[in-house]
Amino acid sequence: MTGAGMSAESGIPTFRDARTGYWARFDPMQLASEQGFRADPGGVWRWYAERRQGVRAAQPNAGHLALGAFAQRHPGRLTVITQNVDDLHQRAGNSDAIRLHGDILLDLWLDECPRRGVGRPCDTAWAGAGEPPVCGECGNRLRPGVVWFGENLPLAALTAAEQAADQCEVMLVVGTSGAVWPAAGLAARARGAGAWVAIVNPDASEIDSDAHQLVRGTAAGALPALFDGW
Ligand code: OAD
């Protein structure tokens, strides 16, 4: 199971780093909640547009590639559960990574389409300068496909992640502060079901006590060594 630290060495900032983290510099309730988006759709859309550019420009790091290579060598033996909204696991070869917090490159309608079920759904979106695309028929806006604070996780992803936690022999937790639930509960759940749990993180996390083993290293530094020879 991975968090933002997994992609830090690809140049994508984490959320809670005291200096560079998004939530150290910006207010999550303005930028990662439905209320925040409705209050300032243009400002929030532009912030996600910048993050999207960063994700598109980033490359998988040696940690992503180690996981991807293991999955290729041992089909069916590795399930990647990620809280990350980038697509670096997918590009490194874990195309079926379970995405608990959505996909930043995906657009969703903000509101349920009023025409769904009664004819053709809205499909005519266009962008004003720096504004989120808006449906020309009903005014509905597009929003980024990430899970915001106060929203439920996608049920299919959460169910698949819980099943993987219940069934795995080993859970490796990489680059997460363990501050956000329900993802933070998966390590304890796996341990409770009999898995051996290791955490890879250069710093302490809130779920360190769930681990049998703490590996004080970075994703790109530690994962290639951990998977070497397997
Ligand atoms: P955080 O920013 O809370 O935590 C990042 C963790 O990565 C910290 O524990 C760091 O010590 C660790 N870290 C930093 N660099 C690392 C490296 N190179 N290798 C390994 N670990 C490193 O990020 P998350 O735990 O992912 O929600 O945050 C959880 C959720 O909170 C995110 O998914 C996001 C945010 O609000 C959504 O986007 C919905």
Side-chain angles (χ1 to χ4, degrees), residues 6 60-78 80 88-95 223-224 227-230:
M6 182 78 226
N61 63 51
H64 295 106
L65 295 173
L67 296 176
F70 180 88
Q72 306 295 318
R73 285 198 299 277
H74 304 286
R77 294 296 304 276
L78 174 72
V80 174
L88 296 181
H89 281 305
Q90 287 77 7
R91 283 198 258 146
N94 294 113
S95 55
L223 291 182
F227 283 93
D228 187 33
W230 291 89

Side-chain angles (χ1 to χ4, degrees), residues 166-207:
D166 289 342
Q167 291 166 6
C168 65
E169 293 163 50
V170 172
M171 180 178 272
L172 205 48
V173 179
V174 184
T176 179
S177 60
V180 172
W181 290 72
L186 291 170
R189 185 174 176 132
R191 183 170 180 149
W196 185 81
V197 178
I199 289 183
V200 176
N201 196 315
D203 295 315
S205 81
E206 293 186 21
I207 52 175

Side-chain angles (χ1 to χ4, degrees), residues 2-6 8-9 14-17 23 51 83-85 101 146-149 174-180 200-205 217-220:
T2 66
M6 182 78 226
E9 287 153 289
T14 66
F15 293 92
R16 293 179 181 78
D17 182 275
W23 299 156
R51 283 183 60 198
Q83 298 168 79
N84 297 345
V85 295
H101 293 165
V146 302
V147 176
W148 281 333
F149 287 103
V174 184
T176 179
S177 60
V180 172
V200 176
N201 196 315
D203 295 315
S205 81
T218 70

